[in-house]
């Protein structure tokens, strides 16, 4: 893999049931949302309704496990929800899921359909490897507030993704920074599917395979590799 992804021992101790599958893609073609990518989002919402079978998203066992982990590192899961739960809640509203761009629509659709957090990062915007760590509280998280660039600090002990420059995503997968997000200029990306027990690893791998197939459909000729999960032991 051209990009290294490392999970720290502190995070593994906090969440021994965590695993992730990475889909690496080069030669991508992105652009504004299309009828095809919008249809994926609508279909994902229908699949979510079937999956939940009348339950609220947070009542799903996988989402409940994420809530427990969020609580364990000091975040209130009813206020700062993991990305899959937040998207699922939006999918169930009359407004439905937002249309962002083709690549983001594709991975959001997989997240909602499988009820698994999925993130996408522009490989060319990442400095050094990506690491999942517990923050010291001194790291920079560059974001935009009210249209103006601002620098935040994560809470000490908060689980964050970071690279050599600073934090790329706060509270595990709650809020991604704009520096590394997928834009219409993105040609190389890494898509990270994050699972907690009790979700079987095989289910996360099926979601990754579906994502890889959709990336090939929307970016014919792209070079796509699915990287198997790292052991959690």
């Amino acid at each position: 893999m051209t990009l290294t992804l490392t999970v720290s021992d502190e995070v593994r101790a906090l969440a021994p049931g965590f695993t992730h599958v990475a889909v690496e893609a080069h030669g991508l073609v992105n652009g504004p949302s299309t009828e095809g990518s919008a249809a994926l989002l609508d279909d994902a919402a229908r699949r979510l309704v079937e999956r939940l079978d009348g339950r609220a998203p947070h009542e799903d066992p996988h989402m409940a496990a994420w809530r427990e982990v969020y609580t364990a590192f000091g975040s209130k899961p009813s206020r700062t929800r993991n990305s899959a739960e937040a998207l699922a809640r939006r999918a169930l509203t009359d407004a439905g899921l937002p249309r962002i761009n083709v690549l983001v629509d594709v991975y959001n659709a997989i997240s909602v359909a499988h009820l698994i957090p999925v993130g996408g990062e522009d490989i060319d915007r990442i400095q050094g490897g990506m690491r999942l760590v517990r923050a010291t509280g001194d790291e920079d998280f560059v974001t935009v507030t009210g249209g103006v660039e601002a620098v935040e600090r994560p809470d000490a002990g908060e689980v964050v993704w970071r690279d050599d420059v600073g934090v790329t995503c706060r509270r595990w997968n709650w809020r991604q920074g704009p520096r590394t997000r997928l834009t219409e200029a993105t040609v190389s990306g890494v898509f990270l599917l994050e699972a907690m027990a009790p979700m079987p690893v095989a289910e996360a791998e099926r979601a990754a395979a579906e994502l890889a197939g959709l990336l090939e459909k929307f970016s014919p000729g792209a070079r796509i590799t699915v990287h198997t999960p790292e052991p959690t032991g």
Side-chain angles (χ1 to χ4, degrees), residues 102-180:
V102 169
L103 291 179
V104 175
D105 291 353
V106 166
Y107 81 71
N108 278 349
I110 293 297
S111 176
V112 169
H114 291 269
L115 210 50
I116 181 174
V118 184
E121 305 279 358
D122 189 320
I123 290 176
D124 294 329
R125 293 169 178 262
I126 295 168
Q127 302 297 314
M130 289 185 62
R131 307 185 295 281
L132 187 66
V133 301
R134 301 198 70 173
T136 63
D138 297 326
E139 299 90 346
D140 287 346
F141 177 70
V142 179
T143 186
V144 176
T145 303
V148 179
E149 186 174 286
V151 178
E152 297 178 356
R153 299 280 189 274
D155 299 327
E158 180 183 325
V159 176
V160 298
W161 279 102
R162 64 158 303 161
D163 64 3
D164 289 353
V165 173
V167 173
T168 58
C169 196
R170 285 198 59 190
R171 293 180 183 152
W172 209 309
N173 49 43
W174 165 68
R175 185 177 176 198
Q176 183 186 32
R179 174 170 60 88
T180 59

Side-chain angles (χ1 to χ4, degrees), residues 66-118:
W66 274 104
R67 282 191 165 216
E68 289 179 8
V69 170
Y70 267 53
T71 299
F73 68 77
S75 289
K76 294 182 178 179
S78 60
R79 293 180 59 189
T80 55
R81 296 177 177 88
N82 76 78
S83 64
E85 184 183 331
L87 273 177
R89 286 169 58 90
R90 294 190 68 172
L92 297 174
T93 66
D94 291 339
L97 290 163
R99 277 61 169 158
I100 308 297
N101 59 52
V102 169
L103 291 179
V104 175
D105 291 353
V106 166
Y107 81 71
N108 278 349
I110 293 297
S111 176
V112 169
H114 291 269
L115 210 50
I116 181 174
V118 184

Side-chain angles (χ1 to χ4, degrees), residues 20-39:
H20 68 267
V21 186
V23 179
E24 182 181 6
H26 301 274
L28 294 168
V29 179
N30 200 9
S33 300
T34 65
E35 288 185 5
S37 69

